[in-house]
Structures are given as structure tokens and as C-alpha cells.
Amino acid sequence: MYDQLRSDRSTPAVTFDQMLERVRYEGAYPTRERAEESVRTVLAALGRQITGEERVDLTQRLPLEAALALTSSTPDIDQLSGWSFVKDLAERTGVSPAVARWDTGAVLAAVSALAGPDLLARVLQRLPDGYALLFGQAQLRQTQPAAA
């Protein structure tokens, strides 16, 4: 999926090393290597869920190494709910759902900061329920009209 990385991409606000340090801090990981492992696995899993312009725009906000991790996976036909995303990540990486949820939260907090509020809102609109919490955002539901 390297073709989704545009050659005219602007320089991201942070370097990959700075992103890893933020994830290491957010996740309280003992080493940089552990933070990098989380970044690569969570972004690859997220890349299976995000499509369209949101995927392209998000890759442009991420450092190159993170953008490559995001685009390393082909988007799945069926999107997973937030909880199913965590369970799938746990199964793929051989960790418990609690560890997968921790890793997801640490990585997506950094992604959220890099994406900014407008792009994050667009991404969350395209994803099923449950992702807002993974990105450290409130899960707001649209009110349903009362039945007449």
C-alpha cells in the first residue's frame, strides 16, 4: 500500500523517535523497542480498518515509519467494532485483550494528537462504534428521534 503515500507529503509535526517517546510515556513501556512494537502492530491493525481519504490524510500526518506501518495492511472488507478490533489485535499478537487494549490506547493517543480534531472526527465517523474510546475521546451517540 505504499502507493497511498504521496510524494508531496508535508513534513509531519514530529519525528518517529518523538512519536515513540510519546507512546513509551503514555504506555509506561520499559523500553523504546517495546513502544515501537506496539506502534507497528496497532497501526497495521488500524490500517485494516481505515479507508478512503481519511486513510490518505492520516498517513500524511504521521512520521514516515508510522505511515508505512499504517499502510502495510490492506483494508478489510468488514470493519470491526472497537472491542472486536482489540480482540483481533490480541489474537494476532498473542497477548491478552487487556494488554492489546493498553497498547491500542497508548498508540492511538499519539495518533489522535497528530491527526488533530478535524481529521480525528472524520476518521471516527467512518469507523464503527467503540473507536472513540480507543482514541481517548468520549463516545458520543447521535440522538435517535422518538418514535411517534
Side-chain angles (χ1 to χ4, degrees), residues 45-57:
L46 184 63
R48 289 189 288 276
Q49 302 302 308
I50 297 178
T51 61
E53 285 299 312
E54 289 75 20
R55 180 179 171 105
V56 173
D57 292 347

Side-chain angles (χ1 to χ4, degrees), residues 23-58:
V23 170
R24 183 175 177 192
Y25 176 80
E26 291 285 337
Y29 296 119
T31 64
R32 180 186 184 282
E33 290 76 21
R34 177 65 181 92
E36 184 172 354
E37 176 185 339
S38 293
V39 166
R40 293 188 188 281
T41 58
V42 170
L43 288 180
L46 184 63
R48 289 189 288 276
Q49 302 302 308
I50 297 178
T51 61
E53 285 299 312
E54 289 75 20
R55 180 179 171 105
V56 173
D57 292 347
L58 187 56

Side-chain angles (χ1 to χ4, degrees), residues 82-148:
W83 177 237
S84 295
F85 175 86
V86 170
K87 290 191 308 186
D88 182 65
L89 183 63
E91 289 174 11
R92 289 176 186 265
T93 58
V95 300
S96 71
V99 170
R101 172 61 182 95
W102 185 269
D103 291 347
T104 300
V107 174
L108 295 185
V111 170
S112 176
L114 292 171
D118 293 338
L119 177 55
L120 182 59
R122 287 178 32 224
V123 167
L124 291 174
Q125 285 177 340
R126 299 278 304 241
L127 292 170
D129 282 345
Y131 281 88
L133 294 173
L134 298 177
F135 279 93
Q137 305 293 307
Q139 179 72 46
L140 302 176
R141 297 195 183 267
Q142 293 182 346
T143 57
Q144 300 296 322

